[in-house]
């Protein structure tokens, strides 16, 4: 029997409903998601590939790229190690206040990026708690690398932990308990038993954490001070160029960030398709 | 099992130093002006207009996303067509694309000479540099929250009740309204609330398309930045506290919602 002649199941939508809803869904995605993405590459190449590459080779652009990588290279491992420690103590032990701890770890996701930068200004800014002391000792936190790293750590704080906690609580404690009872130390249990079980989820969390760390704008914008060639990350450099009416150059840097986002999406989908069971139940769709 | 003290210690130290103490600094700071000063700082016409725009536009964008997000999730879960997996993966674009990139792209797209802005301008509709532009950016940023929250629940939804409804003579629309929608409602509300919460605090994707006219298209996070640039730290913190308070109320409501939906399953 051809599919056309098969009677429709009672829970199947009418073909016309299917067509209309599919068109609405695809149209909405094309209008709101695809067109902005196409615009980025279109505008970046508006004056040709050569000028787009030239915009990326300009000293301020290079220093912005370097700064973004440096920030991510510090912030991501910090949050990955924290995520591992948090997931270990939350999933391998029972203690009072555990649920509160899990809730607190998620807080940065519900805070506006601008507020995430603001909190560090209130501590390290010139009129912040420690501002005067820091200035007296010649230590720069905000409007310098440390402040940018702190703000980035804040906005990417829960990424790794929230991937690991559901997975590790699903996996339980049996394997670790067996290893320890056979005489393995805590560290070798972590390395030989736990890490192999969670490596894909860890990679997944690190991937998302890294994408956000490289692309963060609001929080970093507050603490950066916008010193060209010194404290401008890639997204901030995009803003500077855009406000300078250097649209093609702004979109060239933006296109680099968009490529990074597409690579992230690609790897993320690959991980979801290949290792759905080994990431977390919530991602298998 | 070893490692409890060490892992808990690292977790608590890191969490306190990087999140809790900085947030405490935010919560304490505005009160150096006293309650009257705090109230005055967050109720100037300009700040009030910004708060109204951030909350209002986020609410409208979340409502629009709840409708279209439901349709997108429905199509991606229930229908089979070529390219479905790619479209499904693509829905996450707003999570992965840096907000500043989205911001300048939307701004170029909806500017009076842009691909979408030009035809709309002929119809007399201005999007970029108006509150409508803020709305467009927040629809972009909020869509994946609704879709991603709905998808797993929609996939797990048993078809038994739908079949029963059909057997009893219900039309598809009736079974959607009476059977499917009620069981999706808690999840739909959760996703919509998440999109709303994100929209209220959103900065990067909005700032370029908004035009930032004082009292008209300035958003609350921008007011914080303006106050900081004026060295009015307490005023900036006051707006931050209002936004933080709102997002905590929302976090609480979300948890209650999730508990409610879990109890219904």
């Amino acid at each position: 029997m051809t599919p056309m002649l098969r009677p429709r199941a009672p829970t199947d939508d009418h073909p016309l409903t299917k067509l209309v809803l599919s068109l609405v869904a695809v149209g909405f995605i094309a209008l709101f998601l695809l067109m902005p993405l196409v615009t980025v590459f279109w505008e970046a190449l508006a004056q040709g590939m050569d000028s787009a590459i030239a915009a990326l080779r300009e000293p301020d652009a290079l220093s912005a790229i370097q700064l973004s990588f440096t920030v991510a290279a510090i912030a991501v491992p910090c949050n990955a190690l924290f995520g591992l420690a948090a997931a270990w103590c939350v999933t391998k032990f029972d203690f009072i206040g555990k649920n509160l701890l899990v809730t607190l770890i998620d807080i940065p996701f519900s805070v506006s990026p601008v507020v995430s930068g603001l909190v560090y200004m209130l501590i390290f800014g010139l009129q912040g708690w420690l501002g005067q002391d820091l200035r007296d000792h010649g230590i720069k936190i905000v409007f310098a690398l440390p402040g940018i790293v702190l703000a980035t750590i804040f906005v990417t704080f829960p990424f790794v932990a929230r991937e690991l906690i559901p997975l590790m609580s699903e996996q339980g404690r049996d394997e670790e308990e067996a290893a320890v009872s056979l005489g393995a130390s805590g560290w070798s249990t972590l390395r030989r038993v736990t890490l192999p079980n969670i490596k894909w989820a860890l990679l997944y969390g690190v991937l998302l954490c890294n994408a956000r760390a490289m692309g963060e704008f609001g929080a970093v914008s507050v603490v950066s001070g916008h010193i060209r060639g010194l404290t401008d990350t890639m997204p901030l450099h995009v803003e500077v160029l855009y406000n300078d009416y250097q649209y093609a150059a702004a979109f060239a840097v933006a296109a680099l960030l968009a490529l990074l986002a597409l690579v992230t999406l690609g790897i993320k989908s690959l991980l979801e398709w290949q290792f759905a069971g080994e990431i977390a139940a919530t991602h298998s769709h | 099992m070893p490692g409890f003290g060490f892992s808990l210690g690292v977790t608590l130290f890191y969490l306190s130093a990087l999140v809790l103490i900085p947030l405490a600094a935010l919560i304490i700071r505005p009160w150096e002006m006293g309650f009257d000063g705090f109230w005055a700082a967050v109720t100037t016409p300009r700040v009030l207009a910004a708060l109204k725009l951030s909350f209002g536009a986020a609410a409208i964008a979340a409502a629009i996303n709840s409708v279209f997000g439901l349709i997108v999730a429905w199509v991606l879960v229930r229908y089979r067509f070529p390219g479905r997996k790619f479209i499904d993966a693509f829905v996450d674009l707003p999570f992965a694309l840096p907000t500043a990139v989205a911001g300048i792209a939307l701004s170029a797209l909806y500017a009076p000479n842009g691909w979408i802005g030009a035809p709309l301008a002929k119809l007399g509709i201005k999007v970029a540099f108006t509150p409508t532009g803020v709305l467009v950016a927040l629809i972009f940023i909020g869509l994946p929250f609704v879709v991603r929250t709905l998808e797993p629940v929609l996939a797990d939804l048993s078809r038994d009740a739908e079949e029963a409804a059909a057997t009893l003579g219900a039309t598809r629309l009736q079974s959607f309204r009476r059977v499917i929608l009620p069981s999706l409602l808690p999840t739909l509300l959760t996703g919509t609330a998440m999109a709303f919460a994100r929209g209220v605090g959103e900065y990067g994707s909005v700032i370029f398309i908004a035009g930032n006219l004082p009292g008209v298209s300035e958003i609350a996070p921008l007011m914080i930045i303006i106050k900081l640039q004026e060295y009015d730290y307490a005023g900036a913190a006051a707006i931050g506290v209002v936004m933080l308070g709102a997002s905590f109320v929302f976090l609480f409501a979300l948890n209650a919602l999730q508990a409610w939906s879990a109890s219904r399953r």
Side-chain angles (χ1 to χ4, degrees):
Chain A
M1 214 186 330
T2 64
M4 293 297 287
L5 295 172
R6 196 176 56 200
R8 190 155 54 90
T11 56
D12 261 1
D13 289 338
H14 190 276
L16 195 66
T17 315
K18 277 191 178 181
L19 184 71
V20 170
L21 289 184
S22 301
L23 286 178
V24 169
V26 172
F28 194 78
I29 290 172
L31 180 67
F32 279 97
L33 304 192
L34 185 62
M35 284 193 74
L37 185 69
V38 173
T39 301
V40 172
F41 292 106
W42 182 272
E43 297 280 340
L45 298 173
Q47 293 174 17
M49 191 72 186
D50 292 342
S51 87
I53 288 173
L56 295 176
R57 283 200 167 156
E58 202 234 341
D60 286 348
L62 284 178
S63 94
I65 294 169
Q66 197 188 356
L67 180 60
S68 283
F69 276 91
T70 310
V71 169
I74 303 170
V76 175
C78 283
N79 281 343
L81 289 177
F82 161 74
L84 203 54
W88 182 268
C89 77
V90 164
T91 59
K92 304 296 172 202
F93 305 95
D94 293 309
F95 53 94
I96 301 163
K98 194 157 102 168
N99 290 335
L100 178 68
L101 182 62
V102 174
T103 308
L104 288 176
I105 290 171
D106 260 350
I107 280 186
F109 274 170
S110 46
V111 173
S112 167
V114 169
V115 174
S116 313
L118 170 67
V119 294
Y120 293 108
M121 289 300 286
L122 296 174
I123 296 179
F124 302 113
L126 194 51
Q127 288 169 47
W129 282 352
L130 307 175
Q132 211 61 48
D133 293 330
L134 290 172
R135 186 158 97 152
D136 293 345
H137 292 89
I139 303 168
K140 278 197 83 95
I141 305 272
V142 294
F143 304 160
L145 180 67
I148 297 172
V149 170
L150 285 172
T152 305
I153 287 181
F154 189 102
V155 292
T156 58
F157 195 84
F159 275 109
V160 176
R162 72 152 37 180
E163 291 306 326
L164 293 185
I165 290 172
L167 180 72
M168 283 168 67
S169 59
E170 207 175 284
Q171 287 174 345
R173 306 166 188 176
D174 298 351
E175 289 185 38
E176 281 84 0
E177 272 162 359
V180 170
S181 72
L182 290 173
S185 73
W187 287 114
S188 68
T189 305
L190 176 70
R191 206 163 48 85
R192 300 250 185 108
V193 180
T194 309
L195 277 181
N197 279 337
I198 60 167
K199 58 178 184 288
W200 297 115
L202 184 63
L203 182 64
Y204 190 91
V206 163
L207 184 76
L208 298 188
C209 186
N210 181 63
R212 180 72 192 265
M214 306 266 277
E216 177 52 26
F217 178 71
V220 169
S221 156
V222 173
V223 295
S224 130
H226 286 90
I227 308 165
R228 253 186 118 150
L230 264 181
T231 64
D232 272 347
T233 59
M234 274 198 271
L236 295 177
H237 189 57
V238 170
E239 182 195 23
V240 167
L241 292 171
Y242 190 82
N243 289 340
D244 254 7
Y245 302 103
Q246 300 183 44
Y247 293 130
F251 277 102
V253 181
L256 187 64
L257 284 166
L259 276 179
L260 196 79
L262 289 179
V263 169
T264 302
L265 274 189
I267 302 176
K268 176 174 170 294
S269 305
L270 212 67
L271 287 174
E272 282 168 9
W273 296 339
Q274 293 292 313
F275 307 105
E278 292 169 69
I279 296 178
T282 47
H283 296 295
S284 50
H285 50 254
Chain B
M1 183 108 53
F4 177 63
F6 180 73
S7 61
L8 185 66
V10 168
T11 304
L12 287 180
F13 172 77
Y14 194 79
L15 180 70
S16 307
L18 287 156
V19 175
L20 299 182
I21 293 172
L23 283 176
L26 173 77
I27 293 165
I28 293 168
R29 186 68 190 241
W31 308 106
E32 69 183 31
M33 310 183 287
F35 181 78
D36 293 342
F38 173 87
W39 191 248
V42 295
T43 53
T44 65
R46 193 175 171 191
V47 172
L48 268 186
L51 285 168
K52 256 188 219 160
L53 178 60
S54 277
F55 282 91
I60 299 171
I64 292 172
N65 275 331
S66 72
V67 175
F68 287 95
L70 176 59
I71 295 175
V72 169
W74 181 266
V75 168
L76 289 176
V77 171
R78 285 284 173 104
Y79 304 164
R80 291 292 170 268
F81 52 91
R84 185 186 63 90
K85 273 192 156 185
F86 283 94
I87 295 180
D88 190 43
F90 191 66
V91 168
D92 271 341
L93 180 75
F95 285 158
L97 194 69
T99 53
V101 176
I104 64 168
L106 289 170
S107 176
L109 208 49
Y110 287 90
N113 59 352
W115 287 345
I116 301 177
L120 285 178
K122 281 206 187 108
L123 299 171
I125 304 169
K126 273 194 70 175
V127 176
F129 321 125
T130 71
T132 317
V134 177
L135 189 63
V136 167
L138 295 186
I139 292 174
F140 171 86
I141 226 68
L143 182 70
F145 287 95
V146 179
V147 178
R148 285 292 172 257
T149 316
L150 277 173
E151 275 182 326
V153 178
L154 203 49
D156 284 347
L157 199 66
S158 153
R159 295 209 186 192
D160 294 351
E162 272 176 71
E163 245 163 56
T167 316
L168 293 171
T171 64
R172 273 308 277 163
L173 196 65
Q174 278 173 329
S175 41
F176 177 76
R177 226 161 37 92
R178 301 270 185 89
V179 178
I180 301 169
L181 198 57
S183 46
L184 283 183
L185 199 63
T187 320
L188 184 61
L189 284 176
T190 305
T192 308
M194 285 162 76
F196 171 78
R198 172 71 196 263
V200 170
E202 180 56 22
Y203 177 71
S205 60
V206 176
I207 213 68
F208 297 97
I209 197 175
N212 309 326
L213 291 169
V216 178
S217 58
E218 274 180 342
I219 52 168
L222 178 67
M223 284 312 302
I224 293 179
I225 291 194
I226 291 171
K227 295 269 180 191
L228 272 180
Q229 281 165 351
E230 292 167 349
Y231 297 102
D232 180 6
Y233 279 29
I239 302 170
V241 164
V242 169
M243 294 181 64
L244 192 72
S247 57
F248 280 173
V249 168
F250 242 81
L251 201 69
F252 184 75
L254 257 178
N255 281 336
L257 245 175
Q258 269 153 1
W260 177 54
S261 67
S263 73
R264 282 174 51 128
R265 246 181 248 158

